[in-house]
Amino acid sequence: MTHYVDYIADQKRAPAIVAHRGAWHGAPENSLAAIERAIAVGADIVELDIRKSADGELFIMHDDTLLRMAGIDRDAETFTMAELRAISLREDDGGEHRTTTDQRIPTLKQAFEIIRGRIFADLDLKDRGLFSQVAACARDMNAASYVDLKTNVMTREELDWVRAQHINGVAFMAMSKFTAETIYQTMALLSEIKPFMCEIRFDSLQTIKANRQMFRDVNMALWTNTLNMEASGEWVDKAALVDPDRIWGSLIDAGVSVFQTDEPEALKTYLEGRRT
């Protein structure tokens, strides 16, 4: 399997599918089973949320508390890893109406054992102060070339923070907003660290489309979230399921080549149809 950076840098590749919190339709989000499902349905990247237990272990969980995914109204990070491993996860994206499964809260090391050489992983740290520790864990597990770390880069202070981190061997993805008024200043800032990819927000898709060649020239791939969340604006999965050309197709035509979605199977089917 090629390295993550090399895979993303290939401008001839098909658009990449990112399974948000794993492929969780049929497995608890952020579980080992959801990672396996992401691989099985043909996703290229799995997005995982990282936290730190009370005794210093890195584990995978999105919410601050375990209420939604396990029915326990207590902060996840107040548990030891042994306690967390004993907790069963609810199916899919949780909630009171979801059945409890045999899946347990996984450690980051367990996740690395699965992803290494099989799928890439976007690591969403709930505390960016964990950057160096997560990178060290990836190196120790021989998984560094398969994962990325990300944080906002919109100001000089944020840029300096990233530069101060010890993440050697792990790819860095910037998270930035592009507007017609600020795109050149933002790109000038990003040029100082040359991220291999950028998770983008934008004022108008035209801003991205009009500057498509500029992004290509610096070999910075564009990642967009089409999750059913307010931050996605009109570019959401539920609209894509009705009219994929208008959502996924328009974004591809504007230069986006990486999509984080809760509908990896539908996106896979759409992309295969575009290629025929």
Side-chain angles (χ1 to χ4, degrees), residues 7-22:
Y7 162 69
I8 291 295
D10 179 4
Q11 296 188 354
K12 295 188 176 70
R13 65 171 168 79
I17 301 168
V18 185
H20 179 231
R21 306 179 193 171

Side-chain angles (χ1 to χ4, degrees), residues 203-218:
D203 57 348
S204 159
L205 188 58
Q206 184 56 33
T207 299
I208 304 304
K209 193 168 189 175
N211 291 282
R212 180 176 182 171
Q213 193 58 46
M214 177 172 63
F215 296 120
R216 289 179 68 91
D217 287 347
V218 298

